Amino acid sequence: MRVTSIVLFFLLTLPLYSGAEQLSVTVLPITVRQDGDYAYLNPTIRQMIITRLAARPGISMAEPLSPETVERVRTLLDNGAFSDAAQLANVDWLVDGSMYSLKDGIQVNLGFYSAKPDVRPLTYGLRADSADEVIPAITKMIIEVSADLEAVSVPVAEEPVAADQDQQIAGFQTPHPEREYKKGLFGGATLFGEDDDRFDSRGVRRSSKLPLTIESMALGDLDGDGVNELVAASRTRLVVFEFAERRFNQIASFDLSPRYKIHVINIADPGDTGRARIFVSANKGKLPASFVLAYGGGDTIEVLHRDIRAYIRPVTLPKKGVILAGQRYSPNLSDSFLAPGVHEISIGEADGEVTWGEKLVLPNEVNLFDFVMADLNGDNSVETMVIDSQSKLLVYDEVLNLIWVSSASYGASKDYFGPAQSKADRLDPEALDPTLRGMQRLIFIPSRLDVKDITGDGLPEVVVSTNEMDLSRYLVNLRSFDGGAVACLGWRGNGLFELWRTNKIDGYVADYAFDGDAALVDDNPELMLSRLYVAQRPDSNFWDSFIPSRDDSILLAYEMVVNRDSTDRRRSN
């Protein structure tokens, strides 16, 4: 009752603004992504957002949209047609929100979408540990939102970044942590305010154009010599590179039949056999047809197992080590041909048959490539990090209570389970019936999610790539992107925040691999040279799903020095 009284007081007493030149805004109903104790606040939170926006100078609230128009607008938003959605709503700015119930409190994420095609969406999040904290959190957020809307309504052209291979450019951005924290999350712990001096960018190296469309990439020591090799995969080919003297040198390759479609590769040694292997998750037609390969030295790659009837991935379980996990194929169109549930599996050495073990304990609707596990905060309990279907990064505690949700988007990709949509053959029993293709809703595979102790403080950071959704129009099974980046997030207080991210990478970020212990700098054990390898498809566009392998790829090597002495001092403080 006390909360309701406070809400009504604010709704009835805030003044409205009527200026001459105003930005028209409408707020869609907030979607409850995860229900909980505070779900009843959903309509009230939306009304508070509307009221506080209306009270800001220069903002005029438009009439609510009809349910039919809301549905059409949401379809456009889901497919990346942001400006079209705002234009359909007949406003300058369209606001859409999601609400998550956390273990302690709630979080609401808001996206602001401009009717102007050249203005990027703005994202914000508010977190409240109790119902009483909702009002001040919303008030604080709307003050900054209104300033941002006014500032970005007139877009400013970005200065181009030099792309010379031999030029030392600042390949990473290290944001002021307090400012970035406030930008993405209102409420919660206060962070240190000084600029971050732990990271020193040493520039970027680029390969020449590679005549393959890279879908996935992995890093690992394939021959046991203590030096990591880099494996890049297109839909039908794997290439092994070494990065020596700041150059990418091809040392081996392996071709598959065009009937296969590779989507994710990993390098690991489940079971500590002493030999790293390449695990290739792939399709042949509508069926899984995965591979296990090994580097045989020289220019040879050995096939250990082929046509494995499961999607496969090595997974590190903090209290168990590296295991091999798998997910089954489903014959049901309603499952989008992917059976729910991720299991520990083993593959028979002689016959390659899959033995299905226990099911991993994961949040609902989490698939094989959606998650990683680690102890983020050093409390000896395991957190599970998940990329959900909305491209949000979620953190669950050891008993799967949701404890944090990103306001920014991460992990969006073009990759998906199943056969290529450009191919369907009625005569091939392994192919997808073309009459079913239009009825299938694709299950997309998020881009790589990894955890590594980058700063050297004994706690892992989260590394994830992100691609900026571009216009996909009205086709739900197609995705188009306009540039991307790779970001590193660290745990502070009660949430993750970005330590650094790369500058914008044109085209599409297909995958990345992070080598956190590449070399010592000047023989100083406190200065560690790290490398981030990125697979870039600079000319990737909307038509890739119709015309596969039409664009070249480039490998990037970002170099960064991490001052671990600085990290130790920060943690001790």
Side-chain angles (χ1 to χ4, degrees):
M1 185 66 183
R2 180 163 57 93
V3 174
T4 304
S5 300
I6 295 174
V7 170
L8 291 175
F9 173 79
F10 272 86
L11 296 183
L12 295 174
T13 58
L14 281 173
L16 300 181
Y17 177 87
S18 57
E21 296 183 3
Q22 296 182 314
L23 297 173
S24 59
V25 179
T26 192
V27 181
L28 299 181
I30 295 176
T31 303
V32 178
R33 297 292 178 190
Q34 185 150 331
D35 208 343
D37 294 340
Y38 295 104
Y40 73 94
L41 287 175
N42 184 18
T44 304
I45 289 174
R46 180 190 179 218
Q47 191 58 48
M48 282 192 285
I49 292 171
I50 292 172
T51 305
R52 276 150 183 75
L53 282 171
R56 299 303 301 172
I59 293 179
S60 173
M61 301 307 298
E63 292 294 322
L65 304 177
S66 68
E68 295 76 17
T69 303
V70 169
E71 183 176 355
R72 291 167 58 198
V73 166
R74 281 246 167 85
T75 299
L76 292 172
L77 291 177
D78 290 343
N79 291 284
F82 303 133
S83 61
D84 285 1
Q87 291 170 23
L88 177 60
N90 196 29
V91 291
D92 296 313
W93 286 93
L94 175 70
V95 185
D96 194 19
S98 298
M99 178 175 173
Y100 297 81
S101 289
L102 307 178
K103 177 185 177 182
D104 298 309
I106 58 173
Q107 180 160 327
V108 179
N109 290 337
L110 297 179
F112 286 72
Y113 305 96
S114 173
K116 297 180 179 180
D118 56 349
V119 178
R120 293 286 180 193
L122 302 175
T123 58
Y124 302 86
L126 68 89
R127 173 171 176 164
D129 294 334
S130 69
D132 292 342
E133 294 183 11
V134 172
I135 292 174
I138 291 177
T139 302
K140 184 177 180 183
M141 179 182 66
I142 294 303
I143 292 173
E144 185 161 339
V145 166
S146 60
D148 288 347
L149 295 186
E150 181 180 358
V152 302
S153 292
V154 181
V156 180
E158 296 183 358
E159 296 183 3
V161 178
D164 188 348
Q165 176 173 323
D166 296 322
Q167 184 176 5
Q168 297 290 323
I169 68 174
F172 293 93
Q173 303 171 18
T174 53
H176 187 289
E178 177 72 6
R179 183 171 60 249
E180 288 299 304
Y181 185 77
K182 288 180 179 177
K183 179 181 177 183
L185 186 65
F186 290 82
T190 301
L191 305 181
F192 54 89
E194 71 271 23
D195 289 324
D196 202 327
D197 60 356
R198 288 176 289 182
F199 311 107
D200 179 20
S201 175
R202 294 296 177 92
V204 186
R205 294 291 179 268
R206 291 168 169 79
S207 72
S208 56
K209 280 194 173 183
L210 307 175
L212 72 161
T213 304
I214 295 179
E215 301 288 341
S216 184
M217 184 170 66
L219 183 74
D221 183 4
L222 294 175
D223 53 9
D225 65 352
V227 178
N228 287 328
E229 284 77 36
L230 193 66
V231 180
S234 69
R235 288 177 176 170
T236 58
R237 188 183 184 209
L238 278 84
V239 181
V240 180
F241 296 91
E242 63 175 5
F243 186 73
E245 298 180 355
R246 297 190 171 183
R247 296 180 61 87
F248 293 95
N249 302 312
Q250 179 177 328
I251 58 177
S253 65
F254 179 79
D255 292 322
L256 293 174
S257 163
R259 294 179 63 192
Y260 292 92
K261 188 195 77 170
I262 297 174
H263 46 73
V264 179
I265 63 172
N266 286 281
I267 298 173
D269 181 20
D272 292 325
T273 66
R275 186 185 192 189
R277 285 149 286 167
I278 306 169
F279 294 87
V280 182
S281 195
N283 283 94
K284 186 166 67 172
K286 64 184 179 183
L287 300 177
S290 299
F291 282 72
V292 180
L293 309 172
Y295 178 54
D299 59 356
T300 63
I301 295 178
E302 303 173 8
V303 179
L304 303 181
H305 302 290
R306 69 170 68 235
D307 289 331
I308 301 167
R309 292 305 186 204
Y311 299 106
I312 60 175
R313 173 198 169 200
V315 173
T316 299
L317 304 181
K319 298 182 180 181
K320 192 170 183 177
V322 181
I323 58 104
L324 186 60
Q327 193 163 358
R328 289 184 173 97
Y329 159 81
S330 170
N332 301 322
L333 179 62
S334 59
D335 292 331
S336 295
F337 304 109
L338 183 69
V342 179
H343 294 255
E344 184 172 354
I345 66 171
S346 60
I347 300 173
E349 289 294 332
D351 56 12
E353 290 295 317
V354 177
T355 300
W356 295 87
E358 64 181 21
K359 184 179 177 180
L360 300 188
V361 180
L362 296 167
N364 293 333
E365 300 182 357
V366 170
N367 293 316
L368 181 62
F369 299 100
D370 298 353
F371 71 96
V372 290
M373 298 178 178
D375 179 5
L376 289 180
N377 52 16
D379 63 354
N380 295 318
S381 65
V382 176
E383 284 76 42
T384 300
M385 283 61 71
V386 172
I387 298 291
D388 72 1
S389 60
Q390 305 298 312
S391 297
K392 300 301 181 184
L393 177 58
L394 282 60
V395 181
Y396 294 84
D397 67 13
E398 196 160 53
V399 293
L400 301 186
N401 292 309
L402 182 61
I403 59 175
W404 185 82
V405 181
S406 70
S407 56
S409 296
Y410 297 99
S413 83
K414 295 183 178 183
D415 203 7
Y416 53 86
F417 291 97
Q421 291 290 289
S422 57
K423 297 181 181 180
D425 187 349
R426 293 179 184 272
L427 302 180
D428 185 350
E430 295 178 334
L432 180 65
D433 188 323
T435 61
L436 298 178
R437 184 174 57 181
M439 301 169 59
Q440 181 190 8
R441 179 71 179 255
L442 293 181
I443 297 178
F444 284 92
I445 299 171
S447 60
R448 190 175 300 275
L449 182 62
D450 199 5
V451 283
K452 281 181 169 35
D453 180 11
I454 294 173
T455 60
D457 64 354
L459 298 177
E461 282 73 42
V462 178
V463 186
V464 62
S465 62
T466 179
N467 285 293
E468 298 176 4
M469 182 78 79
D470 197 4
L471 186 62
S472 298
R473 292 290 172 183
Y474 312 99
L475 303 177
V476 71
N477 283 341
L478 293 176
R479 286 183 171 184
S480 181
F481 299 99
D482 181 23
V486 178
C488 172
L489 297 89
W491 188 268
R492 175 70 62 168
N494 59 358
L496 290 168
F497 74 100
E498 287 193 10
L499 300 176
W500 52 256
R501 70 162 49 208
T502 63
N503 290 333
K504 181 180 177 181
I505 300 170
D506 291 335
Y508 174 64
V509 175
D511 207 345
Y512 76 89
F514 192 88
D515 189 353
D517 297 314
L520 291 177
V521 178
D522 299 328
D523 295 324
N524 185 343
E526 302 298 339
L527 298 179
M528 183 63 66
L529 176 67
S530 299
R531 289 196 182 98
L532 173 69
Y533 301 99
V534 177
Q536 175 197 19
R537 282 158 44 183
D539 300 322
S540 180
N541 60 38
F542 176 79
W543 300 104
D544 289 348
S545 296
F546 298 100
I547 312 173
S549 303
R550 66 184 298 273
D551 60 295
D552 298 326
S553 300
I554 293 174
L555 293 177
L556 308 175
Y558 291 79
E559 293 188 339
M560 174 177 60
V561 173
V562 179
N563 186 340
R564 296 189 170 184
D565 175 64
S566 176
T567 295
D568 292 339
R569 283 188 284 104
R570 285 177 182 275
R571 193 177 182 195
S572 63
N573 292 335

